[in-house]
Every structure is written in C-alpha cells, then in structure tokens.
Amino acid sequence: PLLPADGGFVPDFSNRYFTEDINLGLCGYKGLAELAGVDTPVMDRVILWAQQHMGVELLVQVDGSSDYKLKGKDVAATTNAPQRFCISSMDDLRSLYPKEVVVEETHQ
C-alpha cells in the first residue's frame, strides 16, 4: 500500500497492513516475549520504526536502559498484547486456563 508523493511513492502508514499487523500481530508476540523474559531486539526496532510513522506510542524505554517495554500510552487502546489486559507475568497468563488444560513444563 503506497501513496503517490513527489513523483514517487511512500508507504501508507494508515493502511491496515501497518495498523493491524503491528498492533495486533507484532505487539502480541512482543508482549508474550516480555512475559517469558525473552529479548526481542529486532522486533523492538520494527515496532519503534512503525510507531514513529503511525503516530502511536507502544514501546517505551525503561529506566534509561536500552530495554524497551510495551508500556506506551497506546498499548491498551490499540493492541492485543497481554499487557493490555493487565497480564504482567506468566502466572497471570496461566491463571486464565483451567488447571486440567495447563501442561506442566518438564526439564530433560
């Protein structure tokens, strides 16, 4: 999805490929990774780039570190990340499922 501009084309950042794929796709995966304690530097760069062009705040830098978290002002209104639903740990996530459905982790 491109828009004509200055004899060429530029991305249409209001197109659903951005507004849905970033907010409802990538942010959901980023949120799960945060809960699991997995770093996502490439995902962070994509979200930071996209949010700048989409005019939203999803990722913010935490405590002056190089870490980014889904704590931006638009997370609750525009994403399906677990953080939107006040899920802040793996235990919170597991509590949504009946005990008979949760499979215990095994270590080999």
Side-chain angles (χ1 to χ4, degrees), residues 90-91 94-95 97-108:
M90 290 301 284
D91 287 336
R94 284 186 194 103
S95 73
Y97 295 93
K99 295 240 184 267
E100 57 272 3
V101 174
V102 175
V103 176
E104 293 297 320
E105 295 178 25
T106 60
H107 300 285
Q108 298 180 8

Side-chain angles (χ1 to χ4, degrees), residues 28-104:
Y29 292 122
K30 168 65 180 176
L32 291 171
E34 273 187 28
L35 297 181
V38 176
D39 290 334
T40 57
V42 174
M43 210 180 286
D44 292 354
R45 285 196 305 264
V46 172
I47 295 170
L48 288 167
W49 173 82
Q51 75 180 16
Q52 164 187 333
H53 294 286
M54 293 165 49
V56 296
E57 180 183 83
L58 304 167
L59 286 184
V60 294
Q61 205 165 13
V62 179
D63 301 324
S65 71
S66 60
D67 292 335
Y68 288 90
K69 302 288 183 194
L70 279 170
K71 294 182 180 241
K73 64 181 177 61
D74 298 306
V75 170
T78 65
T79 75
N80 66 353
Q83 291 76 356
R84 172 186 181 176
F85 306 101
C86 299
I87 297 171
S88 58
S89 70
M90 290 301 284
D91 287 336
D92 290 345
L93 188 60
R94 284 186 194 103
S95 73
L96 298 175
Y97 295 93
K99 295 240 184 267
E100 57 272 3
V101 174
V102 175
V103 176
E104 293 297 320

Side-chain angles (χ1 to χ4, degrees), residues 13-29:
F13 293 103
S14 66
N15 185 280
R16 70 180 183 87
Y17 291 129
F18 286 97
T19 61
E20 292 178 14
D21 290 355
I22 300 297
N23 296 19
L24 302 177
L26 207 51
C27 286
Y29 292 122

